[in-house]
């Protein structure tokens, strides 16, 4: 007996070990298929040229009953015009390339904090490797081979794991599109990571680096220097917008699109000086503090300027992210407590700041020794 498929009906579905089909009383051919475990899918069933077809619309986890019903109506319209939705879907699945998957993924990933890194990984590595291949043809062995090559090229395990996570997210989307049945990355192992890099520069080394950066293009050099002066992540600094900056009150509000909670930090003299220098790059149509060549876009990369500056002063094994560690270590040396440091760095979990606890202990020891230096000669400051 047909009944109207609603959210309330779906909420009351239980796993009773029986498969069943619930026909919608409003749209002919629209069904809810319930599996033995209580899992459900929206379907549209129709006949065309004497043959029966079943089109899977999606699941309640992704679509409301109203949305699925609207899709069923759209499919019914296609059938009325003599089009075959199931056949078109199969042709699309068989023809879909990895490049098309990448385009679809980037459309829905724009709010991610890692969006710029995702774009870079896709354009520099994934498209050259898989771009022209059919999505359905790429298998687990292909993914393993790509990750193994990245490791041979010298990438750290943590970076290779980020590539794995990105590819997995893309193929999860392909599963949702029903281009493939299973994610080929699911059986690809992750690599053991050791992300703790206690690498930072002394004040003297940092001053030398800043001078070396002055010889680079101003937009890129200022962007790199801002990473140190604020202690913020590369992606946040590169996508910094004037609308989020309050120079008068010396504040920068850093949006967090994924969590919906912004993070505001004070701007010190160094950061304000850079903003003043960047005013010359400001123009109508681009609100980014560090604008890119493309209209309305942020700076695309600072890597070349960074590499040249490091080479100029012989600095090795020092990454852009280490500027953030340098900021933290210098703050600790100036008696900044770990709680305050966690707020400056925007750590959502205070445990992330604990990596600097040994530096805080050293700073406290020096402060304690300095306090008694007047009466205890051996403790006099050098």
């Amino acid at each position: 007996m047909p009944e109207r498929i609603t959210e309330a009906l779906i909420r009351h579905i239980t796993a009773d070990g029986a498969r069943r089909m619930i026909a919608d009383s409003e749209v002919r051919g629209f069904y809810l298929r319930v599996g033995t475990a209580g899992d459900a899918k929206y379907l549209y069933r129709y006949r065309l040229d004497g043959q029966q077809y079943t089109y899977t619309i999606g699941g309640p986890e992704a679509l409301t009953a109203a949305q699925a019903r609207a899709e069923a109506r759209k499919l019914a319209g296609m059938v009325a015009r003599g089009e075959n939705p199931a056949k078109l879907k199969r042709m699309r699945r068989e023809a879909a390339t990895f490049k098309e998957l990448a385009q679809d993924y980037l459309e829905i990933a724009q709010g991610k904090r890692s969006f710029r890194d995702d774009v870079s990984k896709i354009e520099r590595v994934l498209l050259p490797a898989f771009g022209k291949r059919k999505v359905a043809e790429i298998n687990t062995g292909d993914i393993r081979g790509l990750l193994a090559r990245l490791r041979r090229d010298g990438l750290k395990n943590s970076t290779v794991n980020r590539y794995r996570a990105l590819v997995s997210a893309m193929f999860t989307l392909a599963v949702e599109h029903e281009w493939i049945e299973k994610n080929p990355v699911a059986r690809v192992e992750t690599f053991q990571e050791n992300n703790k890099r206690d690498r930072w520069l002394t004040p003297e080394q940092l001053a030398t680096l800043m001078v070396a950066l002055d010889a680079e293009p101003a937009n890129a050099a200022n962007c790199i220097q801002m990473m140190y002066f604020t202690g913020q992540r590369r992606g946040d600094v590169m996508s910094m917008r004037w609308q989020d900056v309050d120079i008068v009150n010396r504040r920068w509000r850093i949006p967090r699109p994924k969590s919906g909670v912004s993070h505001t930090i004070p701007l010190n003299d160094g950061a304000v000086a850079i903003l003043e220098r960047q005013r010359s790059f400001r123009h109508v149509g681009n609100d980014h503090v560090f604008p890119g060549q493309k209209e309305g876009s942020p700076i695309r990369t600072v890597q070349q300027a960074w590499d040249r500056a490091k080479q100029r002063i012989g600095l090795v094994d020092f990454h852009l992210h280490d500027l953030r560690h340098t900021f933290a270590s210098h703050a600790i040396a100036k008696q900044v407590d770990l709680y305050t440091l966690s707020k400056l760095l925007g750590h959502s979990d205070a445990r992330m700041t604990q990596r600097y606890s040994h530096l805080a202990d050293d700073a406290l020891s020096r402060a304690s020794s300095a306090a008694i230096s007047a009466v205890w000669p051996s403790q006099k400051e050098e």
Side-chain angles (χ1 to χ4, degrees):
M1 184 76 178
E3 59 181 307
R4 193 170 189 274
I5 298 173
T6 63
E7 297 299 303
L9 183 150
I10 294 169
R11 282 196 299 271
H12 287 90
I13 289 175
T14 57
D16 57 9
R19 293 187 179 89
R20 59 191 186 278
M21 295 280 284
I22 301 172
D24 186 57
S25 59
E26 189 172 320
V27 177
R28 184 178 181 181
F30 178 41
Y31 290 85
L32 182 71
R33 182 182 63 199
V34 181
T36 56
D39 53 304
K41 290 287 185 184
Y42 300 116
L43 306 178
Y44 178 67
R45 303 182 74 178
Y46 62 97
R47 292 186 69 84
L48 190 66
D49 298 330
Q51 190 170 343
Q52 180 78 40
Y53 294 93
T54 299
Y55 185 103
T56 302
I57 297 173
E61 70 281 356
L63 296 169
T64 65
Q67 289 170 331
R69 184 177 291 105
E71 183 64 22
R73 284 196 174 97
K74 188 187 301 181
L75 295 170
M78 293 176 64
V79 174
R81 294 191 298 271
E83 299 174 18
N84 192 330
K87 187 175 181 180
L88 291 172
K89 185 177 185 179
R90 185 173 63 253
M91 291 170 62
R92 165 76 166 158
R93 180 174 62 240
E94 292 172 353
T97 65
F98 186 85
K99 183 177 181 180
E100 292 174 286
L101 176 61
Q103 292 169 343
D104 287 356
Y105 173 80
L106 290 176
E107 282 184 13
I108 66 171
Q110 292 186 31
K112 290 179 60 182
R113 283 174 57 186
S114 62
F115 179 70
R116 289 182 57 78
D117 285 337
D118 287 353
V119 172
S120 177
K121 287 182 173 67
I122 289 171
E123 291 182 350
R124 291 189 299 106
V125 175
L126 301 183
L127 286 181
F130 299 136
K132 295 181 180 180
R133 294 187 60 181
K134 303 289 179 58
V135 171
E137 295 175 353
I138 300 172
N139 57 40
T140 298
D142 294 324
I143 309 299
R144 285 198 179 110
L146 171 67
L147 300 184
R149 177 172 65 78
L150 293 176
R151 293 185 78 197
R152 288 195 301 272
D153 289 344
L155 270 64
K156 296 185 301 181
N157 284 355
S158 58
T159 303
V160 176
N161 285 341
R162 299 296 84 74
Y163 272 98
R164 181 195 176 280
L166 173 58
V167 176
S168 181
M170 295 174 71
F171 277 102
T172 295
L173 180 62
V175 173
E176 292 175 3
H177 283 346
E178 296 189 356
W179 293 354
I180 53 176
E181 293 184 3
K182 295 181 180 179
N183 188 333
V185 188
R187 291 186 291 119
V188 177
E189 307 78 9
T190 57
F191 299 102
Q192 186 173 357
E193 298 183 19
N194 180 14
N195 284 333
K196 291 190 176 180
R197 280 178 53 86
D198 291 334
R199 182 78 167 97
W200 49 78
L201 300 181
T202 65
E204 294 75 21
Q205 290 174 316
L206 182 65
T208 302
L209 176 61
M210 292 295 182
V211 172
L213 284 168
D214 286 340
E216 295 300 322
N219 194 36
N222 289 340
C223 184
I224 294 170
Q225 291 178 349
M226 184 68 89
M227 293 177 198
Y228 168 74
F229 285 128
T230 62
Q232 299 307 302
R233 297 177 178 86
R234 171 175 55 181
D236 288 332
V237 174
M238 292 175 70
S239 58
M240 187 179 193
R241 289 178 177 270
W242 288 107
Q243 68 182 23
D244 298 321
V245 173
D246 182 350
I247 295 183
V248 175
N249 295 306
R250 300 167 74 100
R251 291 289 184 271
W252 173 25
R253 184 183 67 84
I254 306 172
R256 292 280 186 265
K258 191 172 182 180
S259 65
V261 179
S262 62
H263 165 55
T264 301
I265 64 165
L267 294 170
N268 52 39
D269 290 343
V272 170
I274 288 178
L275 289 172
E276 294 293 348
R277 294 202 295 266
Q278 284 298 112
R279 285 183 186 275
S280 62
F281 292 96
R282 191 174 185 179
H283 56 84
V284 177
N286 196 332
D287 189 51
H288 290 93
V289 174
F290 305 101
Q293 294 181 348
K294 201 173 175 183
E295 185 175 353
S297 68
I299 188 170
R300 185 178 180 81
T301 180
V302 297
Q303 196 62 48
Q304 292 179 335
W306 174 247
D307 290 341
R308 285 192 300 264
K310 287 197 304 175
Q311 186 177 21
R312 195 172 291 120
I313 61 175
L315 183 61
V316 296
D317 191 30
F318 191 77
H319 304 160
L320 276 167
H321 192 73
D322 293 329
L323 289 171
R324 182 169 160 86
H325 300 323
T326 299
F327 174 89
S329 67
H330 290 179
I332 290 291
K334 295 297 183 180
Q335 315 298 311
V336 174
D337 62 88
L338 291 177
Y339 174 79
T340 301
L341 181 61
S342 72
K343 295 300 181 184
L344 289 173
L345 296 177
H347 284 164
S348 56
D349 187 340
R351 288 175 297 182
M352 298 171 68
T353 322
Q354 289 300 315
R355 67 185 302 170
Y356 304 109
S357 60
H358 67 288
L359 294 176
D361 292 341
D362 291 344
L364 288 173
S365 296
R366 290 194 299 272
S368 177
S369 297
I372 66 169
S373 61
V375 295
W376 198 265
S378 65
Q379 300 296 336
K380 286 184 178 179
E381 294 182 272
E382 297 180 1

